[in-house]
Amino acid sequence: MSDIDKAPMPEKGIDQTLLGARITKQINIQIANQLNTGILVVDAQLTIIVWNRFLQVHTGKKSENVLEQSIFSVFPELPVRWLSRKLNSVLQLNTPSFCSWEQRHHLFNLPHTRPITTDSDFMAQNCTFLPIVTDTNDSYICILIEDVTDVCHYQTQLKKALAELAKINRIDGLTQIYNRRHWQKSLEQEYAKARRHDKKLSLIMLDLDHFKLFNDNYGHQCGDMVLIEVSALISTLLRVEDIFGRYGGEEFAIILPETDLSGAIELAQRICGRVSALALTYKEQNVKVTASLGVAQLGEQEQSYEALISQADAALYQAKAQGRNKVFSNQCSSTLAVG
Amino acid sequence: MSEFHLTEDQQDCLQELINIAMGQASDQLARYLDSFVYLKVPSIESVDAKELMRTLSEQKNAIAVVSQGFFGHEGIRGEALLVYQEGDSDRIADLLGYEPDDLSKDEQVIDISSILTTTFLNVFAQQIDNQMSYNAPKLLPNVKDNLFEHLQQMPFTWDIALKVNINYQVTDYSFNCNMILLIPEVAITNIKHVLNRILAEF
């Protein structure tokens, strides 16, 4: 109950009491009409009996076409079945009911008046349905319609920003593939999955040969271009479930779920061949790039995902030691030539 | 034992008030749902803040929590949390007679929670000569990680929580949820006054 209901009424005489009641009534009406909230009162038959200025202004409808009319004929946009049930619960249970913009953007098609661009032409609304019982024991429902366009707008912006941040958090800015942190987290998960379900898991570690020379001979912009082009090329050679990340400066890593060693080697050889065949130019000069790749499959002995990285890393070292532009695996007897 | 702890008499009295409120609320619900509502006697525990934190952090499988603030006269106010375990909320649509495509799952859970909370608290408020107003119910996002955080970010410090275990069975549908009423200390003092008043009348 608002304090307005309890406004002091002088008990000096009937005239004074009536005067007090009249003033209180006037105050209530003026407040209702100046509120920046829509007020709509319907009776048990869902006929509109009261509405305030906020709604008059925002709907552009005339009182004579609204009062004494069914709420559904005045506002044909309302979901009949849903709202009937909602209002019925208010009448029967004598409890308030609510409808938030987060579940339903708006109930009433009211234009919003915000000087901002939003996703919707309509005012986002929080609606409250309040039971009202009068002295005569008649039941009414007061519908309060709050304009929450701002809240909705900023919340949507915030969600977008958070999604963008979450993406930035996973992605390497230069190459647009996964960064080391996200890649490593993925490997941790894939390792756990492979162990739990007894599935195969392989790993390719890849390092660009003599990468420092690109930077030294042509400048860092050339190095960056090589990293971008090689990442883009490798991305096209992978399956959707493969997880490709930038491990360090010029070192990349690929997680291959449900893939055995021969499958991983086959892919590594294809990557090795395609990288060396890449025709890159920087400032009208041809730039030749090759990669060394180490491959490992998760075996019985590895106790952690880090151990798998070590295996692939050791193989990568061997590929480098044996002359670069090669694929190597410690789990395979022979050195693997470029395919 | 904190000064906000209820005596045995007060606890009994409160249990009785809640039983009555729950009984009347389920009666109203049965009429509204136009079906037979079977209600077990709700089990009530009052738990202190630390204890609740512990129980709730153990309740890892909570899938949805709906929070709704309530406030009445004499400083009686608090927040009701309705906690659903996996599977509890599957039948809500059936229970409320919604069509499958009628509402999003979120809206269903919010709807039934609000109905449960407000019918119960309305009757409870009548018992103690009070009248309640309510905030809009809110579904807490990402319950799994956030329930604990939510409890710590309450706008008021609460020292006692009333945990009311509700078990509704509606004809063919069984439906379980936990209602947890978080009540700040001022409100507890006021509730104790009311309980003492009722006890004195006996």
Side-chain angles (χ1 to χ4, degrees):
Chain A
M1 244 189 261
S2 68
D3 281 334
I4 286 172
D5 298 330
K6 294 178 181 169
M9 284 191 209
E11 291 181 16
K12 283 176 184 160
I14 194 87
D15 288 350
Q16 284 289 322
T17 311
L18 279 174
L19 185 67
R22 213 176 73 215
I23 289 169
T24 307
K25 191 180 167 194
Q26 282 177 11
I27 290 171
N28 281 342
I29 289 172
Q30 283 187 33
I31 289 173
N33 277 328
Q34 284 173 47
L35 269 182
N36 260 329
T37 296
I39 302 176
L40 194 66
V41 180
V42 296
D43 63 15
Q45 282 71 49
L46 309 187
T47 303
I48 298 170
I49 57 161
V50 170
W51 72 330
N52 72 343
R53 215 181 83 89
F54 178 92
L55 285 177
Q56 290 161 23
V57 169
H58 285 93
T59 57
K61 296 181 200 291
K62 288 197 161 68
S63 280
E64 61 258 38
N65 298 328
V66 170
L67 297 176
E68 306 298 325
Q69 302 295 316
S70 155
I71 187 170
F72 294 115
S73 64
V74 177
F75 300 100
E77 67 269 26
L78 293 173
V80 178
R81 229 152 43 98
W82 177 84
L83 188 61
S84 305
R85 192 165 36 220
K86 196 118 183 151
L87 296 175
N88 196 25
S89 85
V90 175
L91 287 170
Q92 273 202 35
L93 298 171
N94 198 30
T95 55
S97 192
F98 302 87
C99 177
S100 158
W101 68 270
E102 287 181 280
Q103 276 75 48
R104 273 166 205 268
H105 180 268
H106 62 275
L107 277 184
F108 298 87
N109 288 354
L110 307 176
H112 73 74
T113 53
R114 290 294 178 272
I116 47 175
T117 333
T118 63
D119 293 342
S120 171
D121 289 337
F122 297 112
M123 174 195 294
Q125 296 152 20
N126 275 349
C127 297
T128 308
F129 309 90
L130 296 170
I132 291 176
V133 181
T134 57
D135 290 345
T136 51
N137 253 338
D138 291 317
S139 293
Y140 299 92
I141 301 163
C142 172
I143 306 173
L144 300 177
I145 304 149
E146 266 178 276
D147 180 358
V148 288
T149 308
D150 286 0
V151 178
C152 173
H153 177 66
Y154 293 121
Q155 187 85 6
T156 312
Q157 298 279 90
L158 181 65
K159 270 188 191 157
K160 274 188 198 153
L162 286 175
E164 188 61 27
L165 276 177
K167 192 185 154 218
I168 289 170
N169 219 10
R170 290 195 306 265
I171 299 292
D172 173 60
L174 180 69
T175 58
Q176 296 298 306
I177 63 174
Y178 290 130
N179 60 22
R180 161 84 178 260
R181 198 158 46 86
H182 179 76
W183 180 87
Q184 196 148 335
K185 226 164 112 187
S186 304
L187 179 60
E188 193 178 351
Q189 285 166 3
E190 291 300 328
Y191 172 82
K193 256 195 257 174
R195 281 286 181 241
R196 190 170 344 114
H197 303 296
D198 201 17
K199 288 276 166 65
K200 297 189 181 84
L201 179 67
S202 293
L203 197 62
I204 298 175
M205 299 293 281
L206 180 156
D207 195 85
L208 298 184
D209 298 328
H210 301 300
F211 182 75
K212 201 173 165 297
L213 293 177
F214 295 118
N215 289 333
D216 292 350
N217 295 345
Y218 305 102
H220 282 92
Q221 283 181 330
C222 175
D224 287 352
M225 182 274 290
V226 169
L227 290 172
I228 293 167
E229 291 298 329
V230 170
S231 306
L233 168 71
I234 295 174
S235 295
T236 63
L237 300 174
L238 303 177
R239 303 166 300 178
V240 269
E241 61 267 38
D242 299 336
I243 302 161
F244 181 33
R246 188 174 175 198
Y247 196 75
E250 69 273 16
E251 198 170 348
F252 298 89
I254 309 162
I255 305 167
L256 305 166
E258 303 200 24
T259 306
D260 64 7
L261 188 66
S262 67
I265 288 172
E266 208 186 303
L267 174 66
Q269 287 176 319
R270 198 178 319 137
I271 292 171
C272 190
R274 292 289 296 272
V275 170
S276 65
L278 205 55
L280 296 177
T281 51
Y282 183 74
K283 293 191 175 164
E284 292 167 19
Q285 294 190 64
N286 290 330
V287 178
K288 184 88 186 123
V289 56
T290 61
S292 298
L293 298 93
V295 185
Q297 185 190 345
L298 183 65
E300 297 291 321
Q301 71 284 359
E302 283 92 9
Q303 296 297 311
S304 66
Y305 72 90
E306 287 98 336
L308 184 61
I309 296 180
S310 300
Q311 282 278 351
D313 234 2
L316 172 61
Y317 181 81
Q318 284 296 322
K320 290 260 181 203
Q322 294 182 14
R324 298 188 170 83
N325 192 19
K326 275 185 177 47
V327 175
F328 189 86
S329 171
N330 290 322
Q331 293 149 316
C332 196
S333 49
S334 60
T335 314
L336 302 145
V338 178
Chain B
M1 189 181 282
S2 82
E3 59 176 305
F4 302 110
H5 220 88
L6 300 178
T7 66
E8 206 175 310
D9 278 349
Q10 287 168 338
Q11 178 102 17
D12 285 349
C13 182
L14 186 62
Q15 168 87 49
E16 195 50 37
L17 289 178
I18 285 174
N19 287 352
I20 295 168
M22 207 43 102
Q24 287 190 25
S26 69
D27 184 54
Q28 282 184 30
L29 268 179
R31 280 169 217 255
Y32 171 61
L33 298 172
D34 196 22
S35 81
F36 179 71
V37 175
Y38 173 72
L39 175 82
K40 285 187 189 160
V41 176
S43 68
I44 294 157
E45 298 171 72
S46 65
V47 289
D48 64 33
K50 273 188 200 145
E51 215 178 300
L52 185 72
M53 291 285 193
R54 204 168 46 241
T55 352
L56 287 181
S57 56
E58 282 164 8
Q59 238 172 21
K60 286 271 186 239
N61 51 345
I63 54 144
V65 176
V66 178
S67 142
Q68 189 166 21
F70 57 89
F71 44 98
H73 297 299
E74 297 179 53
I76 290 182
R77 68 198 174 99
E79 179 165 319
L81 296 180
L82 265 82
V83 184
Y84 299 85
Q85 308 291 314
E86 198 136 7
D88 284 349
S89 53
D90 291 353
R91 309 306 295 274
I92 290 175
D94 294 337
L95 182 71
L96 291 180
Y98 290 129
E99 299 295 317
D101 58 335
D102 230 7
L103 290 168
S104 71
K105 216 162 171 152
D106 286 355
E107 200 172 12
Q108 290 171 14
V109 174
I110 292 170
D111 246 22
I112 185 79
S113 302
S114 184
I115 288 175
L116 288 175
T117 306
T118 55
T119 36
F120 167 70
L121 284 175
N122 267 4
V123 186
F124 180 69
Q126 278 167 27
Q127 306 272 320
I128 57 172
D129 294 325
N130 210 314
Q131 196 190 12
M132 292 291 183
S133 297
Y134 303 93
N135 292 333
K138 254 193 146 19
L139 188 68
L140 301 188
N142 304 326
V143 159
K144 283 197 170 91
D145 315 315
N146 285 354
L147 186 52
F148 196 74
E149 217 172 276
H150 175 79
L151 290 174
Q152 286 177 323
Q153 287 172 353
M154 285 292 184
F156 52 80
T157 51
W158 48 276
D159 291 75
I160 198 167
L162 217 54
K163 220 171 129 208
V164 186
N165 229 311
I166 315 171
N167 180 297
Y168 275 105
Q169 288 188 339
V170 182
T171 45
D172 301 337
Y173 312 117
S174 85
F175 164 74
N176 292 282
C177 72
N178 278 305
M179 181 191 277
I180 296 166
L181 303 174
L182 304 174
I183 300 163
E185 50 185 74
V186 193
I188 294 162
T189 314
N190 287 319
I191 287 177
K192 279 167 78 170
H193 285 317
V194 176
L195 291 176
N196 287 339
R197 201 163 68 215
I198 295 169
L199 285 167
E201 283 166 14
F202 274 103

Short mmCIF file of all heavy atoms in Angstrom, two decimals, chain A residues 51 53-62 66 74-75 77 108-111:
data_model
loop_
_atom_site.label_atom_id
_atom_site.label_comp_id
_atom_site.label_asym_id
_atom_site.label_seq_id
_atom_site.Cartn_x
_atom_site.Cartn_y
_atom_site.Cartn_z
N TRP A 51 -7.06 3.94 -17.85
CA TRP A 51 -5.70 3.99 -18.43
C TRP A 51 -5.14 5.37 -18.18
O TRP A 51 -5.88 6.34 -17.98
CB TRP A 51 -5.70 3.58 -19.90
CG TRP A 51 -6.31 4.56 -20.90
CD1 TRP A 51 -7.32 5.45 -20.68
CD2 TRP A 51 -5.93 4.71 -22.27
NE1 TRP A 51 -7.61 6.13 -21.82
CE2 TRP A 51 -6.78 5.70 -22.81
CE3 TRP A 51 -4.98 4.10 -23.08
CZ2 TRP A 51 -6.68 6.09 -24.15
CZ3 TRP A 51 -4.90 4.50 -24.40
CH2 TRP A 51 -5.74 5.49 -24.93
N ARG A 53 -2.21 8.69 -18.79
CA ARG A 53 -1.75 9.55 -19.87
C ARG A 53 -0.59 8.94 -20.67
O ARG A 53 -0.52 9.07 -21.89
CB ARG A 53 -1.30 10.89 -19.28
CG ARG A 53 -1.59 12.09 -20.17
CD ARG A 53 -1.09 13.37 -19.51
NE ARG A 53 0.33 13.55 -19.78
CZ ARG A 53 0.81 14.21 -20.84
NH1 ARG A 53 -0.01 14.76 -21.70
NH2 ARG A 53 2.10 14.35 -21.02
N PHE A 54 0.32 8.26 -19.94
CA PHE A 54 1.47 7.62 -20.58
C PHE A 54 1.01 6.75 -21.76
O PHE A 54 1.56 6.82 -22.85
CB PHE A 54 2.22 6.77 -19.54
CG PHE A 54 3.40 6.01 -20.08
CD1 PHE A 54 4.68 6.56 -20.05
CD2 PHE A 54 3.26 4.73 -20.58
CE1 PHE A 54 5.78 5.85 -20.53
CE2 PHE A 54 4.35 4.01 -21.06
CZ PHE A 54 5.60 4.58 -21.04
N LEU A 55 -0.02 5.95 -21.51
CA LEU A 55 -0.52 5.05 -22.56
C LEU A 55 -1.26 5.84 -23.63
O LEU A 55 -1.16 5.54 -24.82
CB LEU A 55 -1.43 3.98 -21.97
CG LEU A 55 -0.69 2.86 -21.22
CD1 LEU A 55 -1.68 1.89 -20.60
CD2 LEU A 55 0.26 2.13 -22.15
N GLN A 56 -2.02 6.86 -23.20
CA GLN A 56 -2.75 7.68 -24.17
C GLN A 56 -1.77 8.29 -25.18
O GLN A 56 -1.98 8.25 -26.39
CB GLN A 56 -3.53 8.80 -23.47
CG GLN A 56 -4.71 8.28 -22.66
CD GLN A 56 -5.19 9.28 -21.61
OE1 GLN A 56 -4.96 10.48 -21.73
NE2 GLN A 56 -5.83 8.78 -20.58
N VAL A 57 -0.66 8.81 -24.62
CA VAL A 57 0.33 9.47 -25.47
C VAL A 57 1.04 8.46 -26.38
O VAL A 57 1.19 8.69 -27.58
CB VAL A 57 1.37 10.21 -24.59
CG1 VAL A 57 2.57 10.66 -25.42
CG2 VAL A 57 0.72 11.39 -23.90
N HIS A 58 1.44 7.32 -25.80
CA HIS A 58 2.26 6.39 -26.57
C HIS A 58 1.47 5.52 -27.55
O HIS A 58 2.03 5.03 -28.52
CB HIS A 58 3.10 5.52 -25.64
CG HIS A 58 4.26 6.26 -25.04
ND1 HIS A 58 4.18 6.89 -23.83
CD2 HIS A 58 5.49 6.50 -25.53
CE1 HIS A 58 5.33 7.48 -23.58
NE2 HIS A 58 6.15 7.26 -24.59
N THR A 59 0.17 5.30 -27.26
CA THR A 59 -0.59 4.48 -28.21
C THR A 59 -1.20 5.35 -29.29
O THR A 59 -1.49 4.86 -30.38
CB THR A 59 -1.75 3.74 -27.52
OG1 THR A 59 -2.59 4.71 -26.88
CG2 THR A 59 -1.26 2.75 -26.50
N GLY A 60 -1.40 6.62 -28.99
CA GLY A 60 -2.08 7.49 -29.94
C GLY A 60 -3.54 7.12 -30.13
O GLY A 60 -4.17 7.52 -31.11
N LYS A 61 -4.08 6.34 -29.21
CA LYS A 61 -5.50 5.96 -29.31
C LYS A 61 -6.35 6.94 -28.51
O LYS A 61 -5.86 7.60 -27.60
CB LYS A 61 -5.70 4.54 -28.78
CG LYS A 61 -4.99 3.46 -29.59
CD LYS A 61 -5.28 2.10 -28.98
CE LYS A 61 -4.28 1.01 -29.39
NZ LYS A 61 -4.34 0.59 -30.79
N LYS A 62 -7.62 6.99 -28.84
CA LYS A 62 -8.54 7.89 -28.15
C LYS A 62 -9.27 7.15 -27.04
O LYS A 62 -9.65 5.98 -27.22
CB LYS A 62 -9.57 8.45 -29.14
CG LYS A 62 -8.98 9.45 -30.11
CD LYS A 62 -10.11 10.26 -30.75
CE LYS A 62 -9.61 11.56 -31.36
NZ LYS A 62 -8.76 11.34 -32.54
N VAL A 66 -11.04 3.08 -26.29
CA VAL A 66 -10.27 2.20 -25.42
C VAL A 66 -11.08 1.77 -24.19
O VAL A 66 -11.21 0.58 -23.91
CB VAL A 66 -8.96 2.89 -24.97
CG1 VAL A 66 -8.26 2.10 -23.88
CG2 VAL A 66 -8.03 3.11 -26.17
N VAL A 74 -8.57 -3.78 -28.19
CA VAL A 74 -7.80 -2.53 -28.25
C VAL A 74 -6.35 -2.80 -28.62
O VAL A 74 -5.74 -2.05 -29.37
CB VAL A 74 -7.89 -1.78 -26.90
CG1 VAL A 74 -7.03 -0.52 -26.94
CG2 VAL A 74 -9.34 -1.42 -26.57
N PHE A 75 -5.81 -3.90 -28.06
CA PHE A 75 -4.41 -4.25 -28.34
C PHE A 75 -4.36 -5.63 -29.01
O PHE A 75 -4.06 -6.63 -28.37
CB PHE A 75 -3.58 -4.25 -27.05
CG PHE A 75 -3.56 -2.93 -26.34
CD1 PHE A 75 -4.40 -2.69 -25.24
CD2 PHE A 75 -2.72 -1.90 -26.76
CE1 PHE A 75 -4.39 -1.47 -24.59
CE2 PHE A 75 -2.72 -0.67 -26.11
CZ PHE A 75 -3.55 -0.45 -25.02
N GLU A 77 -2.28 -6.97 -30.71
CA GLU A 77 -0.96 -7.62 -30.74
C GLU A 77 -0.73 -8.54 -29.55
O GLU A 77 0.24 -9.31 -29.52
CB GLU A 77 0.15 -6.55 -30.78
CG GLU A 77 0.30 -5.69 -29.51
CD GLU A 77 -0.54 -4.41 -29.55
OE1 GLU A 77 -1.57 -4.41 -30.27
OE2 GLU A 77 -0.19 -3.43 -28.88
N PHE A 108 2.99 -4.81 -25.39
CA PHE A 108 2.20 -3.80 -26.09
C PHE A 108 3.07 -3.14 -27.16
O PHE A 108 4.22 -2.80 -26.89
CB PHE A 108 1.71 -2.74 -25.11
CG PHE A 108 0.80 -3.29 -24.04
CD1 PHE A 108 1.34 -3.81 -22.86
CD2 PHE A 108 -0.57 -3.31 -24.21
CE1 PHE A 108 0.50 -4.35 -21.89
CE2 PHE A 108 -1.41 -3.84 -23.24
CZ PHE A 108 -0.87 -4.36 -22.07
N ASN A 109 2.53 -3.01 -28.36
CA ASN A 109 3.29 -2.37 -29.42
C ASN A 109 3.33 -0.86 -29.23
O ASN A 109 2.55 -0.13 -29.83
CB ASN A 109 2.67 -2.69 -30.79
CG ASN A 109 2.93 -4.13 -31.20
OD1 ASN A 109 3.66 -4.85 -30.51
ND2 ASN A 109 2.34 -4.54 -32.31
N LEU A 110 4.21 -0.41 -28.36
CA LEU A 110 4.36 1.03 -28.15
C LEU A 110 5.69 1.46 -28.76
O LEU A 110 6.69 0.77 -28.60
CB LEU A 110 4.38 1.35 -26.65
CG LEU A 110 3.22 0.81 -25.81
CD1 LEU A 110 3.45 1.14 -24.35
CD2 LEU A 110 1.89 1.38 -26.28
N PRO A 111 5.70 2.58 -29.48
CA PRO A 111 6.98 3.02 -30.04
C PRO A 111 7.89 3.48 -28.90
O PRO A 111 7.41 3.98 -27.89
CB PRO A 111 6.58 4.20 -30.93
CG PRO A 111 5.29 4.70 -30.37
CD PRO A 111 4.60 3.51 -29.78
#
